């Protein structure tokens, strides 16, 4: 019993932390630039395909792919910001439409290039680790540690580096920030690119434990939105509790009921939570 | 040497012009004030200097460089710092984080420790969030932050606004200290007494134009005209 | 408290003659640690032309936002026409007879001048029947409203291309079209040419015979010329209140405007 | 009156000469030409079954139903400024209501009742959803995301509730419309004639839509779209207006869905989902939102093109659609109708100058 419970909890934790990465990217783009990025799911998909392609087509190691995925997706993000998003600031609903158009196009490009069938990314860390109470797959343990490390690094970056502090300043008041010599346009481009890169990294990291197909992004897109909204957009750290609830509860419920039903219940729950507490579940004291 | 020169600047927001042909010059190393009642175009003048809005007509030149049409971050790089009327404090950043925001050139910056030297109160408050500061503390932080890049020209928009008399005195002393070190300052004020005390030359605006200017000593004696443009007595 | 004393000295004119239309009790608004409006008590009799002046950042617009219901009161009460309206939404207050004109004209840029006015006129007879035809009486009323004032633009044109002066006029007319008892006007002449300012104030003064007017205005000369009574705000607090002649002689007002320490 | 005044009218074009200056009136040309164009198209559409193949007419009939759906989206998005990413949930709900009712109760007239319920049901759901969300002050972008979730939840619910919906197999054997007056007459609509029903429904919904947007209610919606704060400061409660138009719109979407169910005879969960929800946005955007004719043109043209060309291009169709969406948002937010009206302005200016 304890064995099952621990396994279940670890599964939920790894899913939640992976979602946190993806949702953090979304929150950066939304919080910094007020852009609702519906291409986020497609960014994740591209990241997953990079990590599939690097071993399968180029014969290089998975780890090279894990490094390349955020770089490639980040570059795609920078280009999209430069040629599309830049012209749509202050047109919130139009960014929703444009990023959706980009998403359709990216997903179709993936289909054209690699077909619609699902790909499997071979597990780079086979085997399991005996944790005493339970035996748990090595890669999933790696995933937990990896996501935690990235999250800590990102938050430390915002807390401690000058660039991080400046980025937070741009979020809070872009006009006041430009009076401090900060180039809003460039900051926005970096933010969009790094938000995209996080989605790409998330997609690459989960690729070995999920099926990689062109439409895999949709669920993650919605789940990350819910994580962001549930946590609240006042603080980036809020994506962590948001993701824990969204991905964690879906994961635990799947043990008892069908995945589709579990997901539906969580979606409905989040919508109700949004109605009751639109500012998010995180208290204002967390805002940074 | 003339550091800043506005010639015949027209600017406004969406159609209507707020200022119509403002011309003024500021000599390096002086403190100049720009006075006038609410809504005569003082803030708009400052905004068109730093590039928050770009002039529809006329030129702004800084150290002989035409900077009309520059973006705020570009005029900042030229060495112009504006402390806006609303102070522009980042509410969820701490005092020390607020001081880390400005882009500084390492050769020429003033360290955060130096800023604390001007405003010891800020050091005590360094871990408080911007939103929790009082008006006076916010004003000190805003001025301190603007000093970080050691600007060649400091623009202050109503530094005394909404502050209690005791605090106004503190802010005034700080401005005088900075001025004594040789910084060029343009201060926009409604509080005439305050402004005349800290500056050596003043311009007075009405209806989007400069209507008179002179040394502050001359102006102090011209009570009749001061009343006309600045006072609340019926004319 | 000195402010209370100075406030009472100048108030002896209209107070007793007409019943009070708007009363605020200890009205306060805080933003974080900033107290934008602090403990403001107003008592505006029906039919008064009352102005609020004060330096930038004195809290005038914040006070208006609370009276109009676009900003919730942090503390205190608002009583209008005998009923407490504290906490009511903006549209509920309009329905009770408080209307406001914004400092920056808030128009419907894609709609024509007449459509803008018709929307204001129709607000009096709202219909949720999506198939109802436009009432020609409303069209006529919109035309009539426009004729009250010198308006030098084609009423059939979209408002986005209007001059600033015409936008300000339209903003004022729209706030009047909902037939309010109390009109809150936030700097109706800001950015308007000198000649137009005079005629606008003349017009406002005329309407104030039927309606109570509460005006924020930075042009002190105009305020002194037209107001029955004036309230002076500084740093969110009432520092003086009374007739124009009382205000001009009040030292504290001079200090607030010109500075002293 | 001077003797120099002369009017010359050739058809709708009017040339007036007054005191030496000449004016070419083209105002009437515009409206007359537009009416002429609409009238001609309607005639062509009425005669279409005699001209085109049955396959094409079938496609056209479905295109008309999607055009109704597009009008419903345009009412909320184009006119009231509420972007919905989940309108297919209501189209699909109407389709499923129709499907379930007509397959459970096999009365000839049941389809008509089905149409009514397929309007009322989604309208009610729309009213509740919008009412709750708007009165809680949910921001516009959150509303959009919730509608997106709604579409996904709806299509998943259709999968889960397989007892009623047939799960992933969907519902089959939904009958076409019919009327029965017991003992007197029974009439079942022949398959070929459904085209006319769809056409009449489209024209009807279009006219109702026109009436709505021209009503005082519609003007208020336009006001909300442009400046909600101001509408509120004039004494209107925007929540009520937005809720009502959303309910109307979801009702119309459901009605279109019900006709679709009756015509195709088969419905399945994707009908409620995300793909159709976003496709309809592209139709509306391409045609021109905030005009009623734009979405009709956009839906019809793109649906026909998709069915005729997507076989040739396969995946590139959606790729093109995605890029088109980006391009329109960036370059031409007013859509095809906007291009026409721009061309019209240019033409007018040209005529005025010559």
């Amino acid at each position: 019993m304890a064995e099952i419970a621990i396994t279940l909890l670890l599964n939920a934790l790894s899913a939640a932390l992976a979602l946190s990465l993806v949702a953090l990217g979304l929150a950066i783009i939304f919080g910094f630039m007020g852009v609702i990025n519906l291409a986020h799911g497609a960014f994740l998909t591209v990241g997953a395909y990079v990590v599939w392609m690097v071993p399968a087509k180029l014969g290089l190691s998975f780890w090279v792919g894990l490094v390349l995925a955020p770089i490639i997706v980040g570059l795609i993000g920078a280009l999209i910001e430069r040629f599309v998003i830049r012209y749509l600031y202050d047109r919130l609903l139009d960014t929703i439409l444009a990023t959706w158009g980009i998403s359709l196009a990216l997903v179709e490009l993936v289909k054209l290039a690699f077909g619609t069938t699902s790909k499997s990314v071979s597990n780079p860390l086979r085997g399991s680790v005996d944790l005493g109470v339970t035996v748990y797959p090595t890669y999933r343990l790696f995933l937990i540690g990896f996501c935690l490390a990235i999250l800590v690094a990102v938050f430390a970056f915002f807390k401690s580096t000058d660039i991080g502090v400046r980025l937070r300043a741009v979020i809070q008041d872009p006009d006041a920030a430009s009076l401090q010599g900060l180039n809003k346009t460039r900051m926005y481009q970096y933010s969009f690119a790094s938000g995209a890169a996080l989605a790409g990294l998330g997609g690459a990291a989960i690729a070995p434990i999920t099926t990689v197909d062109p439409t895999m992004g949709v669920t993650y897109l919605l789940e990350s939105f819910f994580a962001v909204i549930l946590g609240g957009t006042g603080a980036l750290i809020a994506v962590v509790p948001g993701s824990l609830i969204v991905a964690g509860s879906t994961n635990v419920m799947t043990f008892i009921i069908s995945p589709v039903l579990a997901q539906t219940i969580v979606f409905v729950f989040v919508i109700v939570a949004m109605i009751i507490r639109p500012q998010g579940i995180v208290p204002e004291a967390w805002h940074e | 040497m003339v550091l800043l020169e506005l010639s015949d600047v027209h600017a406004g927001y969406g159609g209507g012009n707020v200022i119509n042909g403002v011309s003024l010059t500021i000599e390096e190393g002086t403190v100049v004030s720009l006075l006038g009642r609410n809504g005569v175009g003082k803030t708009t003048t400052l905004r068109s200097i730093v590039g928050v809005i770009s002039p529809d007509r006329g030129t702004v030149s800084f150290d002989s460089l035409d900077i009309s049409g520059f973006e705020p971050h570009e005029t900042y790089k030229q060495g112009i710092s504006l402390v806006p009327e609303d102070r522009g404090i980042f509410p969820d950043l701490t005092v020390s984080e607020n001081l880390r925001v400005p882009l500084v050139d390492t050769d020429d910056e003033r360290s955060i420790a130096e800023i604390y030297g001007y405003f010891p109160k800020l050091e005590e408050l360094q871990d408080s969030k911007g939103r929790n500061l009082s008006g006076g503390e916010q004003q000190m932080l805003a001025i301190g932050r603007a000093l970080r890049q050691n600007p060649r020209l400091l623009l202050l928009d109503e530094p005394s606004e909404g502050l209690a008399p005791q605090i106004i005195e503190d802010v005034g002393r700080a401005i005088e200290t900075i001025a004594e070190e040789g910084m060029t300052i343009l201060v926009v004020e409604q509080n005439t007494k305050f402004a005349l005390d800290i500056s050596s030359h003043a311009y007075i605006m009405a209806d989007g134009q400069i209507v008179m200017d002179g040394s502050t000593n001359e102006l102090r004696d011209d009570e009749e005209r001061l009343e006309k443009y600045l006072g609340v007595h019926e004319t | 408290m000195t402010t209370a004393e100075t406030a009472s000295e100048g108030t002896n004119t209209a107070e007793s003659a007409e019943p009070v239309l708007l009363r605020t009790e200890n009205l306060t608004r805080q933003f974080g640690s900033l107290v934008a409006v602090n403990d403001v008590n107003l008592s505006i009799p029906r039919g008064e032309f009352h102005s609020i002046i004060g330096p930038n950042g004195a809290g005038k617009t914040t006070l208006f936002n609370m009276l109009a219901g676009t900003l919730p009161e942090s503390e205190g009460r608002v009583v209008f026409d005998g009923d407490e309206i504290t906490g009511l939404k903006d549209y509920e207050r309009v329905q009770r007879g408080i209307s406001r004109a914004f400092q920056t004209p808030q128009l419907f840029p894609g709609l024509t001048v007449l459509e803008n006015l018709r929307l204001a006129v129709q607000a009096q007879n709202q219909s949720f029947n999506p198939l109802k035809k436009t009432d020609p009486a409303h069209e006529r009323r919109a035309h009539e409203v426009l004729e009250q004032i010198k308006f030098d633009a084609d009423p059939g044109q979209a408002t986005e291309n209007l001059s600033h002066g015409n936008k300000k006029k339209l903003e004022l007319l729209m706030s009047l079209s909902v037939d309010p008892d109390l009109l809150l006007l936030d700097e109706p002449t800001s950015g308007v040419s000198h000649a137009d300012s005079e005629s606008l104030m003349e017009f406002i003064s005329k309407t104030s015979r039927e309606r109570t007017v509460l005006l924020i205005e930075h042009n002190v000369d105009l305020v002194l010329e037209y107001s029955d009574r004036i309230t002076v705000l500084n740093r969110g607090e009432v520092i003086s209140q009374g007739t124009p002649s009382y205000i001009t002689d009040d030292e504290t007002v001079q200090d607030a405007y010109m500075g002293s320490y | 009156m001077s003797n120099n005044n002369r009017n010359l009218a050739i058809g709708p074009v009017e040339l007036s000469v007054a005191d030496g200056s000449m004016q070419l009136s083209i105002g009437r040309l515009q409206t007359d030409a537009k009416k002429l164009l609409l009238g001609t198209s309607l005639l062509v559409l009425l005669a279409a079954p005699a001209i085109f193949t049955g396959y094409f007419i079938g496609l056209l009939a479905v295109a008309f139903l999607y055009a109704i759906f597009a009008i419903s989206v345009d009412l909320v998005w184009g006119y009231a400024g509420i972007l919905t990413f989940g309108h297919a949930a209501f189209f699909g709900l109407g389709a499923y209501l129709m499907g379930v009712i007509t397959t459970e109760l096999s009365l000839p007239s049941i389809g008509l009742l089905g149409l009514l319920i397929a309007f009322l049901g989604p309208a009610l759901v729309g009213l509740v959803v919008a009412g709750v969300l708007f009165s809680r002050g949910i921001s516009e972008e959150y509303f959009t995301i919730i509608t997106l979730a709604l579409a996904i939840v709806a299509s998943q619910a259709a999968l889960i509730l397989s007892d009623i919906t047939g799960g992933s197999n969907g519902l089959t054997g939904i009958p076409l419309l019919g009327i029965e007056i017991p003992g007197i007459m029974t009439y079942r609509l022949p398959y070929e004639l459904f085209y006319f029903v769809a056409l009449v429904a489209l024209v009807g919904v279009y006219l109702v839509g026109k009436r709505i947007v021209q009503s005082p209610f519609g003007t208020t919606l336009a006001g909300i779209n442009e400046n909600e704060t101001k509408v509120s400061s004039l004494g209107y409660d925007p929540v009520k207006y937005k809720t009502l138009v959303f309910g109307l719109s979801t009702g119309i979407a459901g009605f279109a869905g019900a006709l679709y169910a009756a015509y195709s005879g088969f419905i399945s969960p994707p009908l409620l989902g995300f793909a159709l929800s976003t496709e309809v946005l592209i139709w509306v955007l391409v045609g021109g939102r905030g005009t009623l004719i734009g979405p009709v043109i956009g839906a019809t043209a793109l649906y026909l093109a998709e069915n005729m060309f997507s076989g040739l291009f396969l995946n590139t169709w959606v790729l093109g659609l995605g890029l088109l969406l980006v391009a329109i948002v960036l370059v031409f937010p007013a859509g095809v109708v906007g291009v026409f009206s721009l061309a019209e302005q240019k033409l007018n200016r040209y005529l005025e100058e010559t």
Side-chain angles (χ1 to χ4, degrees):
Chain A
M1 191 59 213
E3 190 184 325
I4 296 169
I6 295 288
T7 308
L8 210 59
L9 276 179
L10 286 173
N11 279 346
L13 186 65
S14 57
L17 287 173
L19 180 63
S20 297
L21 271 195
V22 182
L24 183 61
L26 196 69
I28 288 175
I29 292 173
F30 183 47
F32 282 37
M33 312 152 77
V35 168
I36 303 267
N37 178 28
L38 287 192
H40 213 63
F43 289 163
L44 175 136
T45 309
V46 173
Y49 269 83
V50 169
V51 95
W52 163 76
M53 204 171 66
V54 167
K57 301 275 169 182
L58 306 178
L60 296 169
S61 127
F62 166 87
W63 307 106
V64 175
L66 190 63
V67 174
L68 278 180
I71 296 174
I72 291 173
V73 179
L75 285 175
I76 294 174
L79 285 174
I80 289 171
E81 194 284 337
R82 176 65 191 80
F83 292 104
V84 180
I85 308 297
R86 184 166 298 182
Y87 304 98
L88 299 175
Y89 292 128
D90 305 324
R91 285 164 60 188
L92 185 67
L93 296 187
D94 283 348
T95 61
I96 298 183
L97 290 165
T99 52
W100 180 245
I102 290 164
S103 172
L104 283 180
L106 278 178
V107 168
E108 291 308 310
L109 281 174
V110 169
K111 281 186 193 165
L112 283 175
F114 308 112
T116 51
T117 53
S118 64
K119 313 285 179 212
S120 66
V121 174
S122 62
N123 190 334
L125 295 171
R126 287 163 204 280
S128 306
V129 177
D130 191 346
L131 297 173
V133 262
T134 182
V135 177
Y136 199 68
T138 316
Y139 186 79
R140 278 189 177 265
L141 281 178
F142 162 77
L143 185 64
I144 291 174
F146 180 73
C147 291
L148 267 178
I150 299 280
L151 286 171
V152 168
V154 171
F155 289 121
F157 167 80
F158 281 116
K159 193 74 201 158
S160 311
T161 67
D162 280 349
I163 304 176
V165 171
R166 287 181 184 138
L167 280 168
R168 277 157 62 206
V170 173
I171 311 180
Q172 288 173 29
D173 189 342
D175 295 324
S178 70
L179 290 177
Q180 309 306 319
L182 307 182
N183 185 341
K184 268 191 294 190
T185 318
R186 194 172 304 159
M187 292 285 219
Y188 281 164
Q189 192 170 20
Y190 291 159
S191 311
F192 195 85
S194 45
L198 279 172
L201 185 62
I206 58 165
I209 55 166
T210 186
T211 36
V212 174
D213 70 44
T215 58
M216 67 185 287
V218 175
T219 314
Y220 278 95
L221 172 69
L222 209 59
E223 284 194 342
S224 1
F225 265 120
F226 282 162
V228 171
I229 292 168
L230 195 61
T233 51
L236 288 177
I237 189 102
V239 298
V240 178
S243 302
L244 281 172
I245 294 175
V246 172
S249 56
T250 312
N251 223 275
V252 171
M253 273 195 285
T254 307
F255 185 64
I256 314 159
I257 51 182
S258 80
V260 174
L261 186 58
Q263 207 181 36
T264 310
I265 290 172
V266 171
F267 283 6
V268 171
F269 166 76
V270 175
I271 293 173
V272 172
M274 245 160 116
I275 293 167
I276 297 170
R277 214 180 138 81
Q279 71 273 40
I281 53 169
V282 160
E284 199 167 294
W286 287 28
H287 290 190
E288 50 191 20
Chain B
M1 192 203 91
V2 171
L3 185 62
L4 179 81
E5 180 166 11
L6 268 66
S7 55
D8 193 33
V9 172
H10 295 245
Y13 313 87
N17 264 354
V18 180
I19 56 174
N20 305 297
V22 168
S23 299
L24 57 83
T25 55
I26 296 173
E27 291 283 328
E28 188 156 24
T30 60
V31 179
V32 174
S33 53
L34 182 59
L35 309 173
R37 288 179 182 167
N38 257 352
V40 295
K42 304 185 298 290
T43 295
T44 307
T45 306
L46 291 190
R47 287 170 163 230
S48 50
I49 294 172
V50 296
V52 173
I53 54 173
S54 41
D56 300 326
R57 244 171 70 193
T59 55
V60 180
S61 57
F62 180 72
D63 197 10
S64 313
L65 175 72
D66 183 356
I67 58 163
S68 353
F70 273 38
E71 298 272 317
H73 66 92
E74 293 166 328
T75 56
Y76 177 94
K77 281 227 174 77
Q78 293 299 320
I80 305 177
S81 279
L82 167 70
V83 176
E85 196 175 353
D86 65 4
R87 285 137 203 182
I89 299 301
F90 302 105
D92 286 324
L93 297 188
T94 64
V95 166
S96 63
E97 284 173 336
N98 263 286
L99 289 171
R100 284 170 71 180
V101 174
L103 216 56
V104 287
D105 187 351
T106 36
D107 302 334
D108 202 28
E109 65 161 38
R110 279 169 210 247
S111 68
I112 291 177
E114 274 178 82
I115 303 299
Y116 289 153
Y118 291 108
F119 303 102
K121 188 78 192 284
L122 292 181
E123 188 163 17
E124 294 166 29
L125 292 165
Q126 58 178 313
D127 294 323
S128 311
K129 281 190 176 174
R131 68 165 75 252
N132 296 328
L133 302 185
S134 71
E137 291 156 0
Q138 287 198 349
Q139 189 63 58
M140 289 175 197
L141 177 55
I143 296 175
R145 197 175 56 180
L147 291 177
R148 283 273 283 133
Q149 76 151 340
N150 199 11
R152 300 185 58 199
L153 173 64
L154 179 63
L155 307 174
L156 302 171
D157 196 352
E158 307 232 6
S160 79
E161 180 185 313
L163 302 184
Q166 180 57 44
I167 312 289
I168 294 181
E169 232 175 297
D170 293 348
V171 170
R173 258 199 305 276
I175 295 173
E176 274 167 340
T177 313
I178 302 160
E180 276 163 24
E181 291 170 11
M183 184 160 305
T184 317
I185 301 174
L186 173 61
V187 55
V188 153
E189 261 302 339
Q190 259 188 87
N191 187 330
T192 313
K193 288 201 178 84
F194 172 76
L196 293 181
D197 281 358
I198 58 173
S199 55
S200 59
H201 194 96
Y203 287 87
I204 295 181
M205 283 187 84
D207 283 334
Q209 282 172 328
I210 305 283
V211 287
M212 64 185 285
D213 76 296
S215 79
T216 44
N217 289 332
E218 284 165 29
L219 288 171
R220 235 187 239 111
D221 297 335
D222 195 351
E223 271 187 32
E224 194 182 312
R225 286 215 283 174
L226 279 187
E227 274 301 312
K228 179 175 174 209
Y229 292 117
L230 308 172
V232 289
H233 283 289
E234 217 158 348
T235 47
Chain C
M1 225 178 93
T2 52
T3 51
E5 282 165 24
T6 48
S8 60
E9 278 171 41
T11 56
N12 47 17
T13 44
E15 187 117 32
S16 51
E18 289 279 349
V20 169
L21 181 66
L22 175 80
R23 199 173 72 239
T24 70
E25 292 169 13
N26 315 104
L27 199 56
T28 300
R29 174 68 208 192
Q30 282 177 280
F31 298 103
S33 60
L34 175 79
V35 187
V37 169
N38 192 3
D39 200 21
V40 167
N41 294 291
L42 291 176
S43 182
I44 317 281
R46 197 179 273 280
E48 185 168 274
F49 190 126
H50 193 112
S51 295
I52 296 177
I53 61 172
N56 273 348
K60 301 176 301 251
T61 297
T62 305
L63 174 65
F64 259 34
N65 284 340
M66 275 192 284
L67 294 179
T70 46
L71 199 63
E73 303 88 352
S74 297
E75 275 167 55
R77 286 170 13 110
V78 183
V79 178
F80 180 73
D81 208 6
D83 298 325
E84 172 153 3
I85 57 166
T86 322
L88 287 190
K89 297 222 174 72
D90 53 353
Y91 60 88
E92 291 168 321
R93 299 190 191 208
V94 183
Q95 287 160 5
R96 285 170 182 250
I98 301 180
S99 160
R100 70 101 61 100
F102 292 90
Q103 186 185 347
T104 312
Q106 298 284 317
L107 306 175
F108 307 110
L111 304 187
T112 68
V113 173
L114 281 174
E115 282 169 333
N116 269 266
L117 285 170
R118 188 156 58 78
L119 254 176
V121 170
Q122 271 168 202
Q124 296 276 90
N125 294 295
Q126 290 185 38
S127 162
F128 290 98
N129 175 3
L131 299 178
K132 197 183 153 193
K133 283 192 170 161
T134 302
D135 187 345
H138 291 157
E139 297 271 10
R140 274 200 303 279
R141 180 82 194 113
H143 273 285
E144 283 166 19
V145 169
L146 196 60
E147 277 158 17
Q148 292 179 285
I149 208 166
K150 198 181 124 236
F151 189 83
D152 49 4
D154 172 16
Q157 85 175 93
T159 57
E160 61 189 331
N161 301 322
L162 289 181
S163 70
H164 179 72
N166 281 332
K167 280 184 182 165
K168 292 290 280 190
K169 290 178 192 169
L170 192 53
E171 174 74 27
L172 175 65
L173 289 178
M174 284 173 84
S175 65
L176 259 175
S177 301
V178 302
D179 196 20
D181 293 325
L182 174 66
L183 200 51
L184 304 173
L185 303 176
D186 193 348
E187 304 213 359
T189 69
S190 69
V192 176
S193 75
H194 199 72
D196 270 3
S197 297
E198 289 282 354
S199 67
L200 269 179
M201 284 301 281
E202 198 60 52
F203 173 71
I204 293 166
S205 170
K206 242 186 283 166
T207 55
S208 76
R209 283 175 209 147
E210 299 152 39
R211 314 171 198 280
T212 312
V213 170
L214 194 56
L215 172 85
I216 294 177
E217 179 57 62
H218 67 254
N219 188 331
V220 181
D221 296 340
L222 289 177
V223 167
L224 295 173
E225 189 180 340
Y226 289 99
S227 312
D228 295 324
R229 277 197 314 151
I230 297 168
T231 295
V232 188
L233 284 185
N234 192 26
R235 280 184 261 132
E237 291 176 22
V238 175
I239 58 163
S240 183
Q241 200 170 60
T243 59
S245 60
Y246 174 81
I247 294 294
T248 45
D249 295 336
D250 188 343
E251 282 294 319
T252 49
V253 177
Q254 286 300 319
D255 286 346
Y257 267 84
M258 303 278 290
S260 77
Y261 56 81
Chain D
M1 278 279 273
S2 107
N3 297 333
N4 291 339
N5 288 1
R6 264 184 219 143
N7 284 327
L8 174 70
I10 308 165
V13 187
E14 205 170 294
L15 188 71
S16 54
V17 183
D19 296 328
S21 74
M22 193 165 75
Q23 205 180 9
L24 183 70
S25 152
I26 25 112
R28 279 196 34 216
L29 167 72
Q30 281 175 31
T31 46
D32 285 0
K34 272 184 196 160
K35 276 186 186 151
L36 201 68
L37 194 67
L38 272 179
T40 320
S41 339
L42 213 54
L43 280 179
V44 170
L45 288 177
L46 279 172
I51 308 166
F52 298 106
T53 60
Y55 170 73
F56 183 78
I57 293 300
L59 278 184
L60 208 52
V62 176
F64 291 163
L65 303 181
Y66 282 139
I68 298 176
F69 180 38
I71 287 178
S72 79
V73 169
D74 192 39
L75 278 178
V76 282
W77 180 35
Y79 287 93
I82 306 162
L83 178 56
T84 157
F85 255 73
H87 237 51
F90 301 99
F91 182 85
L93 178 61
Y96 269 97
L97 283 172
M98 182 74 166
V100 171
I101 290 167
T102 51
T103 48
E104 292 291 319
L105 301 166
S106 54
L107 299 167
S109 304
I110 195 70
L112 294 180
L113 181 67
L115 283 180
L116 182 68
I117 291 172
F119 174 83
L120 293 177
L124 191 68
V125 176
L127 284 176
V128 171
V129 168
V132 170
L133 292 176
F134 289 139
S135 63
R136 286 292 302 170
I138 287 273
S139 63
E140 56 178 1
E141 69 272 20
Y142 279 24
F143 186 85
T144 303
I145 295 169
I146 291 180
T147 55
L148 188 153
L150 217 58
I152 293 182
V153 167
S155 60
Q156 290 186 346
L159 278 177
I160 299 166
L161 304 171
S162 53
D163 290 349
I164 309 167
T165 63
S168 58
N169 295 328
L171 281 179
T172 51
I174 301 162
L176 207 56
L177 303 170
I179 299 175
E180 182 192 48
I181 302 166
I184 300 171
M185 62 161 279
T186 306
Y187 176 76
R188 284 188 177 279
L189 186 72
Y191 199 69
E192 311 80 62
L193 289 188
F194 181 83
Y195 170 83
F196 293 104
V197 173
L199 182 60
V200 168
L202 174 60
V203 172
V205 169
Y206 175 83
L207 292 175
V208 168
K210 194 109 198 152
R211 186 76 180 258
I212 292 173
V213 301
Q214 286 172 348
S215 70
F217 176 81
T219 319
T220 312
L221 290 180
I224 290 171
N225 187 12
E226 298 209 331
N227 191 342
E228 191 167 332
T229 318
K230 179 67 169 192
V231 169
S232 192
S233 82
L234 290 174
Y236 297 97
D237 178 3
V239 171
K240 288 199 186 117
Y241 286 85
K242 280 156 65 176
T243 302
L244 192 57
V245 76
F246 198 78
L248 262 174
S249 160
T250 52
I252 295 172
F255 171 74
L259 284 174
Y260 177 88
Y263 184 58
S264 74
F266 163 73
I267 49 177
S268 61
L271 207 60
L272 297 134
F274 198 45
L276 182 60
S277 289
T278 53
E279 205 168 354
V280 67
L281 292 177
I282 300 176
W283 296 337
V284 174
L285 197 67
V286 168
R289 68 194 180 99
T291 69
L292 287 171
I293 196 72
V296 172
I297 295 170
T300 313
L302 284 176
Y303 179 76
L304 290 180
E306 182 180 345
N307 277 277
M308 293 192 288
F309 301 130
S310 68
L312 296 174
F313 303 118
L314 219 65
N315 284 326
T316 40
W317 173 258
V318 183
L319 176 62
L321 223 51
L323 295 177
L324 185 67
L325 178 54
V326 178
I328 289 179
V329 169
L330 277 180
V331 187
F332 223 99
V336 171
V337 170
V339 177
F340 281 139
S341 63
L342 195 74
E344 191 180 296
Q345 280 170 24
K346 288 251 163 79
L347 180 75
N348 284 351
R349 209 166 303 146
Y350 174 76
L351 285 175
E352 270 165 31
E353 279 165 9
T354 47

